Amino acid sequence: QPVTVYCSGRTDTGVHAAAQIVHFESDAERPLRAWTFGTNSHLDKRVAIHWASEMPMDFHARFSALDRSYRYTILNRATRPGYQAGTIGWERVLLDADKMHAAAQALVGEHDFSSFRSAECQANHAVRYLKRISVRRELDRVIVEVTANGFLHNMVRILTGCLLAIGRGERPTNWMSTLLEVRDRTQAGMTIAPRGLCFLQPSYPAEFGVPDFEKNKA
């Protein structure tokens, strides 16, 4: 029978997803193991179902989510990436991750993120509550992680592009605060390429029993 799938969130073309949550309605009686392994037998090899559960009728993959988390990984060295080329960003200039992290903290809280939305964004308004954002270095990688109650079109890619300009020393640390105030996309930096961005997962109220895949991953 036809199945309509509702997803917890959308990603741009070229962005990856580690733990997307979807829900659908069906009258079919099947063991949960069959929903997982049976579905995987029909999916593209780049996609796999890891978990399935029968949910209460008031659960909705999108509208029940409390927040969503993304990670942008940047390879920060002089030479380009090899086998990871399609899944990681790249910056030749040595980045100051500490300065990027300090600058990013201006974004925490409820703000109008008009400076960080694309012209094609169809959201009714640009106000979002950004719960946390961090920038850290792990050897030759700089990792940006951000969690919010929702995101605008290209929002993570735009704010990461702005943080790169700060990390390269092209902009001052307080530039992120300035961009929030002006609410003007034309004043912000480039929209960084999608390949380094990964939708990590959404989170839900505990009563729904959705696993924390990022915490429990191998």
Side-chain angles (χ1 to χ4, degrees):
Q1 65 181 12
V3 172
T4 300
V5 174
Y6 299 90
C7 301
S8 62
R10 297 181 295 176
T11 60
D12 302 335
T13 300
V15 176
H16 308 280
Q20 177 69 272
I21 300 294
V22 304
H23 89 264
F24 61 92
E25 296 183 9
S26 174
D27 295 326
E29 296 289 339
R30 303 186 72 195
L32 293 178
R33 178 182 174 86
W35 283 118
T36 301
F37 290 92
T39 303
N40 280 340
S41 67
H42 294 282
L43 285 175
D44 184 287
K45 299 303 181 184
R46 297 170 295 178
V47 183
I49 305 297
H50 297 292
W51 170 84
S53 177
E54 185 175 348
M55 304 299 283
M57 289 301 296
D58 61 342
F59 176 82
H60 193 286
R62 178 184 176 188
F63 298 116
S64 297
L66 298 173
D67 55 49
R68 295 161 181 82
S69 298
Y70 284 84
R71 175 186 295 141
Y72 200 103
T73 304
I74 304 160
L75 181 65
N76 189 205
R77 69 185 188 197
T79 55
R80 62 176 173 80
Y83 73 95
Q84 291 182 307
T87 60
I88 195 169
W90 176 40
E91 173 56 51
R92 298 181 181 86
V93 178
L94 182 64
L95 297 171
D96 187 330
D98 292 337
K99 185 179 291 186
M100 294 167 67
H101 176 80
Q105 302 318 300
L107 303 176
V108 175
E110 186 174 80
H111 303 285
D112 184 316
F113 286 92
S114 292
S115 292
F116 305 97
R117 68 188 298 188
S118 75
E120 293 76 31
C121 184
Q122 298 179 351
N124 293 328
H125 61 83
V127 176
R128 297 292 185 272
Y129 180 74
L130 196 147
K131 295 186 174 182
R132 53 188 169 270
I133 182 169
S134 66
V135 184
R136 68 182 188 275
R137 175 175 291 278
E138 293 183 0
L139 300 176
D140 61 358
R141 285 161 172 74
V142 172
I143 299 167
V144 180
E145 292 189 350
V146 57
T147 299
N149 65 347
F151 291 90
L152 303 165
H153 188 215
N154 288 167
M155 178 174 162
V156 180
R157 292 168 56 196
I158 295 169
L159 67 84
T160 300
C162 294
L163 290 173
L164 277 176
I166 295 172
R168 289 190 295 257
E170 300 168 356
R171 295 284 186 170
T173 306
N174 65 356
W175 190 42
M176 302 303 278
S177 298
T178 301
L179 291 174
L180 281 176
E181 293 174 4
V182 299
R183 302 179 183 180
D184 183 355
R185 172 67 186 96
T186 65
Q187 300 299 308
M190 61 176 286
T191 302
I192 196 169
R195 57 182 174 271
L197 185 59
C198 181
F199 174 52
L200 294 179
Q201 64 180 20
S203 67
Y204 296 92
E207 60 264 27
F208 290 128
V210 179
D212 185 333
F213 294 96
E214 185 67 13
K215 180 179 179 180
N216 299 324
K217 70 180 181 181

